[in-house]
Amino acid sequence: MEKQTMHLTQTLSPELRDRILARLEQERTEPAYRLLTPSTLRQLGTIQSTRDPIVSLYLELTPERRLKDAWHVAFKDLVRAKLERLEDRRLREQIAGELERIELALQEGLPALGRGVAFFVCESLGLWRQIALPIPLPDRLELASTPYTRPLVRTRDEHDRFVVALLSREHSRFFISQIGYVEEVLTLTGPRLRGMVTDWIDWNQRDDLERQLTHQEGKALATIAALIFQQFEARYLLFSAPEKLKASFLEHLPKAIRAQVGGVFSVEVHAPVAQVATAIEPVQRAVEAREEMRTLERIQESLPERGVWGIEAVIDAINQRRVMTVAVDDALQIAGGYCPHCDLLVLDASKPCPVCGQTVEAEADLVDRALEMALAQDATIELVRSDAARTFMAQHAPMGALLRF
């Protein structure tokens, strides 16, 4: 992926700020593997085709899948099974063409990090999205008038969006990340402070000038970090910086973002992205575990008026549009049903809808449908993955919720 390199002056001019924003917007939309952001998911939710179907493809890219192009066999099996079921010749040829474009993109390069990919493609709409996934999602190929995005709810953890800043006086890099995936979005080169302290300056003035330059650089870097934080709707900021620059950077961060500093890490400023990912993962895991426990403890403290435990209680609260936060063990999968007429979840798909009496649609995984409905109600999602939080849930239930009322 081509990264943008910009020269950092002592102050962040309006022109440089606009260039950075334009570059960040390009990073979100250009045809390369992207990290899924909330804005990307919202955009996908607005797309509808009245003519040609939209191809939605999910493919696991576990380490085993990457060996000897094992992913290609799985991809071919998906394609063959889908095309064999299409009786319309024109449609079959069209979809085959779309899938060939996806296959070519995969052969040209897989995302270096992550455990899966998702494609959303429709040539007549000019739609092409390649998304790198931090977790493996089951292989799936769907054709519909809208992008099939339901599996993506498993990537929408409330506390799993990070901006990462790797700072130095000469060279600074910015990344966006979910645990398991890191993407570099901006590189900045700045003046070498020691070189700017020239020989003719009186020794008594050197410390003052260096402090001033460090102050200005820290201010500019903090402004850039805030821009990236807001643009990608991050939840936490992680950073690495020399001690003097660290103080200035923190001082100039907006208070709201300063409160979301998740931790610091250490890595060489020119380290490969994979090495950066390794360096930050323990800090990310610690943030994840801490926030998961906070959510679960809030549910426990809110019982019984504003908190509930149990699959049935949470499903009932979602049906009543009462959920504010849903916490679920990420490994949980349960079968159930859904009534499209009433927009209602049911645990037993063999029975008619309790409201309208009509036959419900069977759901192989009711959890995904429940999380999708919760997000549509502007609820937040806590996907529990840490050992400490799973141990806590084992004492209560694999699903819980905070309620609005």
Side-chain angles (χ1 to χ4, degrees):
M1 181 185 72
E2 179 185 356
K3 300 184 296 297
Q4 183 70 19
T5 300
M6 296 181 178
H7 296 284
L8 181 63
T9 57
Q10 290 185 28
T11 59
L12 191 64
S13 67
E15 292 77 15
L16 180 56
R17 183 182 185 277
D18 290 343
R19 286 172 59 199
I20 290 171
L21 285 172
R23 179 57 193 174
L24 293 176
E25 183 61 31
Q26 181 183 353
E27 285 290 337
R28 295 199 307 174
T29 58
E30 65 183 12
Y33 292 107
R34 299 268 73 84
L35 181 69
L36 181 70
T37 63
S39 61
T40 301
L41 190 55
R42 288 194 297 269
Q43 290 169 5
L44 287 171
T46 66
I47 297 172
Q48 185 165 11
S49 176
T50 58
R51 181 183 166 191
D52 299 327
I54 295 171
V55 176
S56 301
L57 170 74
Y58 293 86
L59 194 66
E60 289 190 26
L61 286 180
T62 56
E64 295 77 17
R65 277 282 179 89
R66 292 173 181 268
L67 290 175
K68 298 181 180 179
D69 289 340
W71 65 266
H72 203 193
V73 176
F75 175 81
K76 286 292 191 182
D77 289 343
L78 275 177
V79 170
R80 186 181 306 108
K82 180 61 70 175
L83 294 180
E84 286 176 353
R85 293 197 293 269
L86 297 178
E87 297 180 359
D88 185 289
R89 180 179 176 181
R90 187 200 71 82
L91 178 61
R92 186 168 60 249
E93 291 177 351
Q94 177 200 336
I95 298 304
E98 299 279 38
L99 292 170
E100 285 177 7
R101 294 171 61 207
I102 294 175
E103 182 179 14
L104 180 60
L106 288 165
Q107 289 175 328
E108 287 179 347
L110 304 176
L113 300 174
R115 293 296 187 104
V117 291
F119 283 79
F120 302 96
V121 178
C122 181
E123 187 171 13
S124 63
L125 289 180
L127 174 64
W128 181 270
R129 295 286 188 276
Q130 297 173 229
I131 296 173
L133 302 173
I135 60 173
L137 297 176
D139 296 340
R140 188 155 186 162
L141 177 56
E142 295 288 340
L143 308 177
S145 60
T146 58
Y148 181 71
T149 60
R150 188 186 304 172
L152 295 178
V153 300
R154 292 283 185 173
T155 72
R156 286 293 308 278
D157 189 288
E158 179 64 10
H159 301 291
D160 196 18
R161 298 193 303 276
F162 296 82
V163 166
V164 180
L166 180 50
L167 311 175
S168 76
R169 292 176 171 181
E170 295 84 22
H171 192 78
S172 294
R173 302 162 67 192
F174 294 86
F175 310 79
I176 55 174
S177 175
Q178 286 181 294
I179 298 175
Y181 182 80
V182 178
E183 177 183 332
E184 188 166 359
V185 295
L186 197 66
T187 299
L188 295 166
T189 58
R192 296 179 180 272
L193 297 184
R194 291 175 184 171
M196 296 182 68
V197 182
T198 55
D199 291 338
W200 58 266
I201 296 177
D202 186 273
W203 278 103
N204 295 327
Q205 298 177 8
R206 287 174 182 252
D207 289 344
D208 289 340
L209 179 57
E210 184 167 347
R211 279 194 295 270
Q212 181 181 353
L213 292 173
T214 303
H215 175 86
Q216 292 292 344
E217 189 169 27
K219 180 178 180 180
L221 291 171
T223 303
I224 293 166
L227 288 175
I228 298 173
F229 197 93
Q230 294 161 3
Q231 190 81 348
F232 290 95
E233 301 181 58
R235 289 303 307 269
Y236 299 97
L237 173 66
L238 309 179
F239 75 96
S240 173
E243 200 60 33
K244 291 182 179 179
L245 185 58
K246 173 183 175 181
S248 178
F249 177 73
L250 285 173
E251 176 189 351
H252 290 103
L253 281 174
K255 288 183 179 180
I257 296 178
R258 196 185 310 153
Q260 297 305 113
V261 172
V264 296
F265 64 98
S266 179
V267 71
E268 202 276 323
V269 72
H270 296 287
V273 173
Q275 191 173 332
V276 175
T278 300
I280 66 174
E281 184 168 345
V283 186
Q284 290 177 308
R285 294 289 182 191
V287 170
E288 180 183 52
R290 182 181 71 241
E291 296 301 338
E292 287 176 0
M293 286 302 301
R294 283 181 181 175
T295 300
L296 300 184
E297 288 167 355
R298 286 180 62 201
I299 293 174
Q300 184 66 18
E301 292 165 1
S302 300
L303 297 175
E305 290 84 7
R306 294 295 182 90
V308 294
W309 286 115
I311 296 170
E312 185 174 356
V314 174
I315 294 299
D316 187 52
I318 292 173
N319 285 336
Q320 295 178 37
R321 313 305 192 258
R322 296 174 60 201
V323 291
M324 182 170 63
T325 299
V326 175
V328 60
D329 187 318
D330 192 39
L332 179 65
Q333 290 185 325
I334 55 171
Y338 171 71
C339 176
H341 182 263
C342 301
D343 194 24
L344 199 72
L345 301 170
V346 295
L347 290 172
D348 189 349
S350 66
K351 297 179 180 179
C353 173
V355 175
C356 69
Q358 295 187 20
T359 301
V360 300
E361 299 175 356
E363 292 282 348
D365 187 358
L366 192 65
V367 175
D368 281 357
R369 171 71 81 168
L371 295 179
E372 184 180 48
M373 287 180 62
L375 287 171
Q377 298 170 28
D378 292 326
T380 57
I381 304 298
E382 185 71 83
L383 296 168
V384 172
R385 302 184 178 110
S386 68
D387 291 340
R390 278 181 163 150
T391 299
F392 186 95
M393 292 193 90
Q395 303 171 18
H396 302 282
M399 206 172 194
L402 288 168
L403 307 179
R404 298 183 191 279
F405 57 90

